[in-house]
Amino acid sequence: MANPFDDFLKTLAKGDLAPVYLLAGDEPLQLQEAGDALRARARELGYAEREVLNVEAHFDWDQLARSGASLSLFASRRLIELRLPTGKPDRDGSAAITEWCKSPAPDTVLLVSAMQWSKKHEGAWVKAIERAGVYTWLRAPRVDELPAWIRARMRDQGFAPSEDAIALLAERAEGNLLAIAQEVDKLVALRPGGAVSAADLESLGDDNAVYDVFRLTDATTAAVGCSLAI
């Protein structure tokens, strides 16, 4: 079965970036890591300036057009991030995004990220992004796909997990990818790669098993409405 996250990473490796991207989904880890991958690729390609727009109540959608029309202060290539927590722009927002897609600003990439998503969110503005660039709906692995996801993540860090270790990690984290990633990162910090059993994971202790999902979201949305170096 196709993996939207892996497919997205493959698109980034193919030449220059598209003028506009939409990363959508309610799985925080994949949304964050997909955004990180895009930002890293942008740096490689010389997009040295970054501006973040956080859409809140009464957001001035003219700000998007002004950002596209303004001249870069530090570089010729820019990344503009439009963070849309609800995934539902109002009428003005839908029109502003659609208009952007009709005539993207030169030497500029627009990244729209939405932290809530379903089929009901797909409107005309999403179709406009699809025509102009890339739309990726990041879905969490299903229950039957989770063991393979855990195994792949641990192998990427140099570990060879046993089946009971994978089952324990999935149970301990209750399927929360952020919690699973934290446990793997903790393992990386404590020991070199190699075989990992359920007993090895038990030795890490249970006190860090629960991960605050909102901690990442807070960090992601802390810097808003300002220009940043990528």
Side-chain angles (χ1 to χ4, degrees):
M1 178 178 293
N3 184 314
F5 182 83
D6 290 342
D7 290 345
F8 173 73
L9 296 184
K10 291 176 183 177
T11 66
L12 293 181
K14 297 178 181 178
D16 206 348
L17 296 178
V20 58
Y21 290 84
L22 170 59
L23 295 177
D26 52 11
E27 207 305 298
L29 179 68
Q30 289 194 339
L31 194 62
Q32 176 67 25
E33 292 188 343
D36 287 345
L38 176 60
R39 285 184 281 271
R41 181 60 174 158
R43 288 194 298 269
E44 292 176 358
L45 296 174
Y47 290 82
E49 187 177 338
R50 174 180 166 220
E51 181 178 0
V52 179
L53 304 175
N54 192 57
V55 178
E56 298 176 331
H58 310 298
F59 178 75
D60 179 8
W61 282 99
D62 287 339
Q63 189 175 347
L64 178 60
R66 289 196 297 269
S67 294
S70 65
L71 296 176
S72 172
L73 296 177
F74 307 108
S76 59
R77 310 190 100 185
R78 296 180 298 162
L79 173 65
I80 297 177
E81 294 190 37
L82 183 69
R83 293 176 175 171
L84 192 64
T86 66
K88 292 182 178 179
D90 57 21
R91 182 179 299 178
D92 290 341
S94 180
I97 295 172
T98 299
E99 190 63 30
W100 177 287
C101 292
K102 289 179 180 177
S103 182
D107 296 316
T108 301
V109 169
L110 175 65
L111 166 59
V112 182
S113 58
M115 289 179 279
Q116 296 179 26
W117 204 252
S118 70
K119 275 289 184 181
K120 295 180 180 179
H121 289 75
E122 295 182 344
W125 65 278
V126 176
K127 296 298 182 184
I129 290 178
E130 283 189 291
R131 289 191 295 269
V134 176
Y135 160 42
T136 300
W137 184 355
L138 297 164
R139 298 175 175 87
R142 300 192 311 262
V143 173
D144 61 316
E145 297 172 334
L146 188 58
W149 186 90
I150 295 173
R151 186 180 300 108
R153 193 169 188 93
M154 294 188 73
R155 285 179 175 173
D156 285 345
Q157 296 295 335
F159 295 104
S162 64
E163 292 304 312
D164 62 341
I166 292 172
L168 176 63
L169 191 53
E171 180 182 4
R172 172 183 288 178
E174 299 180 346
N176 185 320
L177 299 193
L178 282 168
I180 294 170
Q182 185 191 39
E183 292 294 296
V184 175
D185 290 344
K186 183 172 25 171
L187 192 61
V188 170
L190 293 176
R191 52 170 291 180
V196 177
S197 67
D200 295 325
L201 294 178
E202 290 282 12
S203 69
L204 296 179
D206 298 326
D207 55 332
N208 291 319
V210 178
Y211 191 98
D212 183 356
V213 176
F214 297 104
R215 191 177 304 163
L216 177 64
T217 302
D218 290 343
T220 300
T221 58
V224 297
C226 58
S227 294
L228 305 171
I230 293 181

